[in-house]
Amino acid sequence: MTVRTFRVGDRVVRRLGFGAMHLPTAPAAARGNAVAVARRAVELGVTLIDTAHLYGWGANEELLAEALHPYPEDLLIATKVGVAPPDPPREAAVCGRPELLRDQVEQALRRLRVPRLELVQLHRVDPDVPLADQLGALREMQAAGKIGHIGLSEVTVGQLTEARRIVDVVSVQNRYNLLDREHEPVLESCAAAGIAFLAWRPVHPAVSAVTTGITAVAAELGATAAQVSLAWLLARAPVVLPIPGTASLAHLAENVAAAELELTGEHLRRLDARGPAGGTG
């Protein structure tokens, strides 16, 4: 039986979460649907939602507040900071300057309408700023009561190891799915340390291709290829928290239902044998 919950810091969440990146914030009709999808996710039992300053430069955070505030007590909203918006001719870029990180945290507090952000993840490690300075800024805001827990995104094992010498890391958000296991070593490190591994892009674009073999397992279970892919992630390790995203109510229901799909040992052996497709996307 697959374990369906995991403790992230001091919060217990259901392992199958929701990625809010694809929720449109405009125009009005699309925004109304996005609000409905966010609300339906919570109604269906989702207790982990992922967003970021990068997603609409704060508009995604505002959308979640419009849809869900005041938040259910068991809902954990994770946001990310560390990407500077475009300032022509400069394009958007990774930026870990402490002053920018502090400003984006303050903006998130206002946009999400909360006194404390329960989980803030460094969106990317800025190679031009010492990691101790980047995480130090977040640690200072944590000490001030503005951040509950600190996580990372798209990191290597070496970066995770270095970060854990500086702060208590409760989560890592890396790209990972059945056909793309580039970050397998990072997942293994998280599993060994009991750190939540938020798998983004949890369903590879190629899962519906007949050549993957996933469709055969899906047909046997009366499920979709996407559901099989999500169920595989949930069976992969207890620390894995997939965060599929969608702007479709029907697709949302399909994703959430994957948490109830039980793969047999034979199914898992067949799926594991497909092997990773390598770093795509």
Side-chain angles (χ1 to χ4, degrees), residues 90-106:
R90 186 197 72 192
E91 298 180 354
V94 171
C95 181
R97 296 196 310 272
E99 63 271 20
L100 178 132
L101 299 178
R102 286 191 287 265
D103 179 61
Q104 290 188 354
V105 167
E106 293 288 359

Side-chain angles (χ1 to χ4, degrees), residues 51-53 57-66 69 71 77-81 100-120 137-138 140-149:
T51 184
H53 182 85
W57 306 115
N60 195 265
E61 294 171 334
E62 291 177 338
L63 175 76
L64 291 177
E66 177 184 337
H69 189 273
Y71 306 109
I77 295 181
T79 193
K80 299 184 289 295
V81 297
L100 178 132
L101 299 178
R102 286 191 287 265
D103 179 61
Q104 290 188 354
V105 167
E106 293 288 359
Q107 290 184 48
L109 288 167
R110 292 193 298 272
R111 288 180 171 128
L112 287 168
R113 309 178 199 172
V114 292
R116 183 174 94 154
L117 302 171
E118 294 302 325
L119 175 58
V120 173
L138 299 182
E140 289 172 5
M141 301 200 82
Q142 184 181 44
K146 296 183 177 183
I147 292 176
H149 300 286

Side-chain angles (χ1 to χ4, degrees), residues 1-2 4 14 16 44 227 231 234 254-263:
M1 180 69 68
T2 301
R4 289 181 167 78
R14 294 189 180 183
L16 188 63
L44 291 174
Q227 288 176 322
L234 292 171
E254 175 187 318
N255 288 341
V256 172
E260 305 301 320
L261 191 64
E262 290 289 343
L263 301 175

Side-chain angles (χ1 to χ4, degrees), residues 169-216:
V169 177
V170 304
S171 67
V172 168
Q173 182 173 325
N174 277 24
R175 187 190 70 248
Y176 185 84
N177 56 61
L178 178 55
L179 298 180
D180 180 0
R181 306 181 209 174
E182 176 186 351
H183 295 296
E184 190 82 35
V186 181
L187 169 55
E188 294 290 352
S189 293
C190 288
I195 295 172
F197 184 91
L198 279 61
W200 70 269
R201 191 179 288 169
V203 178
H204 192 283
V207 297
S208 61
V210 175
T211 55
T212 66
I214 301 172
T215 50

